[in-house]
Amino acid sequence: MAKISSMLFSLTLLLTILTSHSLPTNPKLPKPNYHSTPKFTKIYAFGDSFTDTGNTHSTTGPYSFGYVSSPPYGTTFFHRSTNRYSDGRLIIDFLANSLHLPFLPPYLSRNSDFSHGVNFAVAGSTAIEHEFYVKHNITIDIVPVSIMTELGWFDEFLKEKKGAEDLEKTLFWVGEMGANDYGYSIMSPTLVPEQIRKLAMNNMNNFLEGLLKRGAKYIIVQGLPLTGCLPLALYLTPSSDRDALNCSSKVNKQSSAHNSFLLTKIQALRKAHPNAVISYADYSAAHRVVMQNPKKYGFTQLYKTCCGSGGGDLNFDLFATCGSPGVSTACSDPARYVNWDGVHLTEGMYRVVSDLFFRHGYMRPPFSVFLGRADEGN
């Protein structure tokens, strides 16, 4: 009985990691050319594992996904692990490319060149403070970093640099946040998604207000993707819990509610700060259009994990995830897969989503309008 309880506990804990335009197929997407000259000279990024470019290593990674420093992570583009949770570049990398800027160095790599920006994102981080989970006795394998921790790091960075410079030419990217919070909430019988959503939204609002008070003028806020379509969610939910996309209906509804509340917060902030430009990157809509038209975007595998084990429709074993002993190789053509390791996406998918964001109107206001406002401000 103890063994069964331990396995169920491990399954539950894994959820903490979670959380109509025509494009060419992803291997042949055009090179970014959104403008002939850069609008921004630097980027400051915040978020979790979908945005983290190296603040997390195998020794600090989330439960069961603590192998990010091992191959085959990074093999598609970098040909080595860069501690990104993918086979290659992330959306934040494609954003840097589009602005003709170098890839963002992680904040915890203190010897890096921060002249063009910093990435404060950490895998496993939450919207709600770590102390909240400690109070509810949810302490095992939880990364003690929240979005407010990252804001504190930003303050430390500004203090070291003796203030922010060129904020009129600085882009603030806020990657998706909150999926880990919903995963943590199932660890306690007293916590419900509605409570987590309220607390997470309050913190996200405070965080965005904090950026604006510190002088941020141009902010892009990313919503949650279709977390119910991730292999981990499909692995842990019953087959009866499926929506029209054949994804977990319950998990996708939870993400949808989160995104609706987030957009409401953003709209209120726009009214309170009319001189700032706050754009919403609709991750869920971009993810959905790919799931509905996979061949248009060059994908043949929607649910199967490229770097995983166990075979079957998902090729996912939560006790033998990507990079762990015995899982040192991945599928031969990651660009055809949506999912990389069961929770995170392939470079091919990130590239398509980036193109939808930056070239095809899946941001509100669109990226072109966002850049135009930046030009006017400069």
Side-chain angles (χ1 to χ4, degrees), residues 17 52 54-69 83 85 108 121-125 141-145 153 184:
I17 315 301
D52 188 351
N55 284 311
T56 303
H57 297 73
S58 289
T59 55
T60 59
Y63 177 83
S64 192
F65 284 85
Y67 305 98
V68 68
S69 302
N83 296 302
Y85 278 92
L108 297 180
V122 178
S125 58
D141 291 305
I142 293 178
V143 177
V145 175
W153 288 352
Y184 292 156

Side-chain angles (χ1 to χ4, degrees), residues 171-222:
L171 172 59
F172 289 79
W173 173 268
V174 183
E176 67 90 17
M177 287 293 294
N180 292 318
D181 295 271
Y182 295 112
Y184 292 156
S185 70
I186 66 172
M187 300 285 294
S188 171
T190 62
L191 297 178
V192 294
E194 291 74 17
Q195 180 184 6
I196 294 298
R197 186 183 307 123
K198 180 179 179 180
L199 293 172
M201 285 299 105
N202 285 341
N203 268 20
M204 288 302 297
N205 184 76
N206 292 338
F207 170 78
L208 293 172
E209 281 276 13
L211 291 183
L212 291 162
K213 289 179 180 178
R214 286 160 177 77
K217 300 293 184 182
Y218 304 99
I219 306 175
I220 298 176
V221 184
Q222 190 177 31

Side-chain angles (χ1 to χ4, degrees), residues 18 23 28 43 51 87 119 144 146 167 173 192 201 233 242 244 249 264 298 300 313 341 346 349:
L18 282 177
L23 290 175
K28 298 180 180 180
I43 304 171
T51 304
D87 59 312
N119 192 338
S146 72
L167 285 185
W173 173 268
V192 294
M201 285 299 105
R242 296 294 180 263
S249 176
T264 298
T300 58
D313 293 336
D341 62 7
T346 61
M349 181 60 172

Side-chain angles (χ1 to χ4, degrees), residues 63-362:
Y63 177 83
S64 192
F65 284 85
Y67 305 98
V68 68
S69 302
S70 304
Y73 281 102
T75 54
T76 292
F77 181 80
F78 300 100
H79 307 297
R80 62 181 177 83
S81 170
T82 59
N83 296 302
R84 287 167 169 81
Y85 278 92
S86 183
D87 59 312
R89 291 164 290 183
L90 312 178
I91 292 174
I92 188 63
D93 297 313
F94 288 108
L95 174 62
N97 283 343
S98 75
L99 297 175
H100 310 289
L101 296 174
F103 295 141
L104 290 186
Y107 171 70
L108 297 180
S109 179
R110 304 313 302 273
N111 294 323
S112 298
D113 179 3
F114 294 144
S115 59
H116 292 288
V118 187
N119 192 338
F120 299 94
V122 178
S125 58
T126 56
I128 303 172
E129 291 92 338
H130 175 65
E131 290 74 19
F132 172 82
Y133 297 105
V134 173
K135 179 181 178 181
H136 287 83
N137 297 316
I138 305 173
T139 59
I140 299 177
D141 291 305
I142 293 178
V143 177
V145 175
S146 72
I147 193 68
M148 300 307 289
T149 306
E150 295 178 20
L151 184 61
W153 288 352
F154 179 58
D155 285 338
E156 291 177 9
F157 174 78
L158 294 182
K159 184 177 180 180
E160 292 170 2
K161 298 298 180 182
K162 298 181 179 180
E165 299 177 358
D166 299 324
L167 285 185
E168 292 289 341
K169 295 183 179 180
T170 300
L171 172 59
F172 289 79
W173 173 268
V174 183
E176 67 90 17
M177 287 293 294
N180 292 318
D181 295 271
Y182 295 112
Y184 292 156
S185 70
I186 66 172
M187 300 285 294
S188 171
T190 62
L191 297 178
V192 294
E194 291 74 17
Q195 180 184 6
I196 294 298
R197 186 183 307 123
K198 180 179 179 180
L199 293 172
M201 285 299 105
N202 285 341
N203 268 20
M204 288 302 297
N205 184 76
N206 292 338
F207 170 78
L208 293 172
E209 281 276 13
L211 291 183
L212 291 162
K213 289 179 180 178
R214 286 160 177 77
K217 300 293 184 182
Y218 304 99
I219 306 175
I220 298 176
V221 184
Q222 190 177 31
L224 293 178
L226 297 176
T227 52
C229 294
L230 302 177
L232 178 58
L234 296 172
Y235 185 92
L236 295 176
T237 55
S239 57
S240 58
D241 173 36
R242 296 294 180 263
D243 57 19
L245 294 174
N246 202 30
C247 302
S248 169
S249 176
K250 180 180 179 180
V251 177
N252 274 346
K253 286 180 179 178
Q254 183 172 269
S255 295
S256 177
H258 174 97
N259 289 339
S260 294
F261 277 84
L262 177 60
L263 189 54
T264 298
K265 294 290 186 181
I266 291 172
Q267 291 168 340
L269 287 171
R270 287 170 179 161
K271 292 181 180 179
H273 300 271
N275 294 325
V277 184
I278 309 173
S279 185
Y280 175 69
D282 198 339
Y283 206 162
S284 179
H287 196 170
R288 182 177 297 277
V289 75
V290 173
M291 298 297 287
Q292 291 173 331
N293 305 277
K295 292 183 179 179
K296 179 188 294 187
Y297 302 98
F299 297 107
T300 58
Q301 295 291 344
L302 296 180
Y303 311 102
K304 195 171 186 176
T305 300
C306 175
C307 182
S309 62
D313 293 336
L314 299 178
N315 189 37
F316 181 76
D317 182 346
L318 59 89
F319 297 110
T321 57
C322 185
S324 63
V327 190
S328 59
T329 60
C331 62
S332 60
D333 191 2
R336 301 294 177 182
Y337 284 66
V338 168
N339 296 285
W340 169 245
D341 62 7
V343 169
H344 310 96
L345 309 178
T346 61
E347 177 184 277
M349 181 60 172
Y350 285 130
R351 185 172 185 174
V352 168
V353 171
S354 298
D355 207 58
L356 290 169
F357 283 165
F358 307 139
R359 294 172 61 92
H360 292 270
Y362 281 77

